Structures are given as structure tokens and as C-alpha cells.
Amino acid sequence: MQETDTVLPFQLEESDIKGRLGVVSNSVTEILRNKNYPAVICKIVAEACVLTSLIGQSMDLRWKLSLQIRGKGPLKLIATDYFNFGSNDDNFRIRCHSSFDKKYTPSFNQEFKELIGEGYFAIIIDEGAGKEPYQGITPLRGDSLTECAENFFHQSEQLPTRFSIKIHEENIDSDKQIVKAGGIMLQYLAKGSEALKTEDQMDNEDLSSADFLSGNASENWKRVNLFLDTLGSDEFFDPKISDEALIYRLFNEEKPTVFEKRRIQFGCTCSPDKVRQTMSIYSSSDIKKMTNEAGKVTAECQFCEAFYSFDPEDLGMDSN
């Protein structure tokens, strides 16, 4: 496993397609370290982290991008945050949380549709104070989280988008596990309106990526996707093959240009001050109800499992 998590931007000059190759194994391993999720939930969380990193680095993001996947099945929520908050170090952080029915015991090969049920896939882009957040929402459609993400870009953005996500788990011993997680994202660069079909030409709800394109653009897209289909997990995670070399291996005929890598690491935004701020909305009577037998008010971060304990008077409890 590489020492740091990164996303490598690249562009395929011959076919007007941009891409990202990301590896977030260390971040995912840290996110899952103390979660005690069922194996199938761990895999979906890892998949969500890869998708979030690739999507976040596909745009000029300088604050925060969030993915929210909500369902009516046993798996209720997958929520990720990918954030920089305007920092000049260009080092992004990622975190993820899942909520599911603890009484439900999914099998390792449980179908995604059975786990999630009906619901929606949302992307929220927050560009900071004073700017209106962007929120795009589409229904959950697909046999995997990856297909739901592709469908989001097809429906909400009408932008041909493809993901190839690779997840591999390794048990070091009975108490420790690492997760290899990464993938590639492709998007067509719409340089000319002649490459995209009109709305009148697209009257079918079940559109594939190529259905948005016409002429040579459609052929280019199909060809590049065929190259991507040849990529296996063993090759993707081969430590002897650099990310740059892998891009040239896959897409050599497309005249690839690679750019500077961006670093990613696990991180969280929780703090004692933020917990106090959250608690400030509660009345004194509410705080009293939250106080345990030891006379403390406790809280735990769902993202990083940080545990906080306060004396009620530290939370501004008044005499009313």
C-alpha cells in the first residue's frame, strides 16, 4: 500500500476525456478501524469514500463536498464529507459515517438494492460562508452505489461519467484489517455542442453514458471505456506499477497527460467547542435529562468516535 492517499488528475487528449485515479486505502482503513460494521457495509463505505474523493477532485473545490445516500431498507444512510475549508495546503480530508438497522444481519454477498431499498443519492457542494450551497438529488437507481453515482451525473448533470471502483480487504491478524480502496473516474469534456445530443434526441429514461454523445464523441467514449474494462484489482493495486504508469498502460493510444497529484487523508471536524455549540440549542431541562448518573453530559462523534464529557454547567445551564 502506498504511504499516502492521493488523487491523480489526467486528461486523454485524443478523445476529449478527463479523468481521476484515486487511492484512499489509508483513509478508509482509519475510518473503519473502530466501526465494527458488517463486512458488506464496510465495502459500501469504502466505495463511498472512493467516489467522494474522485468527484471532489473532479471540480475546483475549495471548501466541502458531501455525499448523502439515504434509503428505506436496512441500510439507512451513508454520509461522506470531503473538505479543505479554504486551506492553502491543498491537502483534503475525508470522513464517512453509516447508519443501519443493527438487528438486521446482512450476508457478505447481500445485494445493494436489498440493503438500501428506495431512496435518493445527493451531492452537496458548500463553497463557504456567504455562498449558496449547491444540492443535486436523484433517486437511487442501480445495482451498486457506483451505478447510482453514474446515474446522478446522467440525470442531474447530463454529463457522461464512468467509475471503476476497486475494493480489496486484507486480514493482518484476528484484530487488525486493512482495506485497499481506489478507482478511476472518467468524464467527457463537452468542448462543442455538436458532441452532445439534444433533449429531443434523448427521450429514454434509461440512458447510458454513450447515449448523451453523438458521432465521433460517442465512439471515443465507448473505446476508452473498453480500455477501462480491462483493469483488474491485482493490476490496480500492484505496488510495482505507479499511478502514472497505470494511466499510460490503460490509455496509451489516447495520448494521456497527467497532472500533479493531490493528497488526501482521514480527518474530522468535531471538537469540544463544536459540541458545546450544538448543545446550546437545548434548554436547561433538556440538559438535565441528558445528564447521566455520574453527573455528566456525554456525546460521541459518529464519524471518528471521539468521546466528549461535560459538566452540565459547562454547557451554559441556567437556573430556570
Side-chain angles (χ1 to χ4, degrees):
M1 184 183 298
Q2 60 185 44
E3 293 183 359
T4 58
D5 292 345
T6 59
V7 173
L8 174 69
F10 63 91
Q11 186 163 317
L12 306 180
E13 308 294 348
E14 190 71 17
S15 46
D16 292 337
I17 291 171
K18 70 174 182 178
R20 298 289 186 273
L21 185 155
V23 178
V24 291
S25 302
N26 297 299
S27 299
V28 170
T29 296
E30 190 65 29
I31 286 168
L32 294 174
R33 186 179 303 280
N34 298 313
K35 293 292 191 182
N36 198 28
Y37 290 159
V40 67
I41 302 295
C42 288
K43 185 176 180 181
I44 296 172
V45 165
E47 188 177 1
C49 290
V50 178
L51 289 169
T52 304
S53 300
L54 293 172
I55 294 169
Q57 281 294 351
S58 71
M59 56 188 68
D60 187 21
L61 183 70
R62 297 302 302 172
W63 199 256
K64 184 176 76 169
L65 177 141
S66 301
L67 257 62
Q68 288 189 11
I69 301 94
R70 292 187 179 271
K72 297 180 180 179
L75 178 56
K76 307 297 183 184
L77 170 71
I78 298 285
T80 63
D81 289 330
Y82 178 80
F83 52 94
N84 177 282
F85 295 142
S87 170
N88 291 324
D89 64 7
D90 205 27
N91 187 10
F92 278 81
R93 288 163 176 79
I94 189 168
R95 63 181 189 171
C96 185
H97 163 65
S98 173
S99 176
F100 57 93
D101 184 354
K102 300 297 193 299
K103 298 178 181 178
Y104 183 81
T105 306
S107 66
F108 179 76
N109 294 320
Q110 188 83 48
E111 295 289 338
F112 175 76
K113 281 185 175 181
E114 294 177 359
L115 276 173
I116 198 74
E118 294 182 354
Y120 67 80
F121 182 102
I123 291 180
I124 302 100
I125 300 172
D126 184 350
E127 290 293 358
K131 296 184 179 180
E132 190 72 21
Y134 162 85
Q135 180 170 291
I137 301 176
T138 57
L140 288 173
R141 291 176 54 198
D143 293 328
S144 68
L145 183 55
T146 296
E147 288 187 11
C148 292
E150 291 174 344
N151 179 67
F152 172 87
F153 284 99
H154 299 169
Q155 279 198 305
S156 180
E157 308 299 319
Q158 293 191 353
L159 183 62
T161 303
R162 170 78 191 284
F163 297 96
S164 178
I165 307 299
K166 308 298 180 185
I167 310 294
H168 180 68
E169 296 177 327
E170 289 186 355
N171 291 314
I172 299 175
D173 52 44
S174 59
D175 298 322
K176 190 173 182 182
Q177 180 186 64
I178 62 171
V179 179
K180 293 181 178 180
I184 292 178
M185 175 185 186
L186 298 177
Q187 281 188 324
Y188 182 75
L189 291 169
K191 292 184 176 180
S193 59
E194 70 279 357
L196 298 175
K197 291 183 178 178
T198 65
E199 291 186 8
D200 291 338
Q201 292 174 303
M202 297 185 293
D203 56 2
N204 185 347
E205 291 185 357
D206 297 319
L207 295 172
S208 68
S209 295
D211 291 323
F212 286 95
L213 302 171
S214 60
N216 290 335
S218 178
E219 293 304 315
N220 289 343
W221 181 255
K222 291 177 182 178
R223 183 181 66 255
V224 170
N225 275 268
L226 286 175
F227 293 150
L228 185 59
D229 288 338
T230 66
L231 178 63
S233 292
D234 289 344
E235 183 180 19
F236 186 86
F237 293 118
D238 189 337
K240 297 178 182 178
I241 304 174
S242 69
D243 295 343
E244 294 83 355
L246 184 58
I247 293 301
Y248 286 111
R249 268 195 185 197
L250 285 172
F251 307 116
N252 182 56
E253 297 180 19
E254 306 302 316
K255 298 179 181 178
T257 300
V258 297
F259 303 98
E260 184 179 357
K261 285 183 176 181
R262 304 291 178 85
R263 292 181 299 166
I264 303 169
Q265 66 186 66
F266 166 72
C268 195
T269 62
C270 70
S271 69
D273 287 342
K274 287 190 176 182
V275 176
R276 291 189 187 95
Q277 183 179 5
T278 301
M279 291 291 185
S280 68
I281 66 173
Y282 295 104
S283 66
S284 296
S285 59
D286 289 330
I287 295 296
K288 285 181 180 179
K289 293 177 183 177
M290 297 177 191
T291 304
N292 61 23
E293 294 180 356
K296 301 289 185 179
V297 178
T298 62
E300 184 177 2
C301 177
Q302 293 178 313
F303 286 97
C304 70
E305 287 79 46
F307 183 80
Y308 299 95
S309 179
F310 302 94
D311 291 322
E313 55 267 27
D314 290 340
L315 300 175
M317 216 176 86
D318 56 35
S319 59
N320 295 330

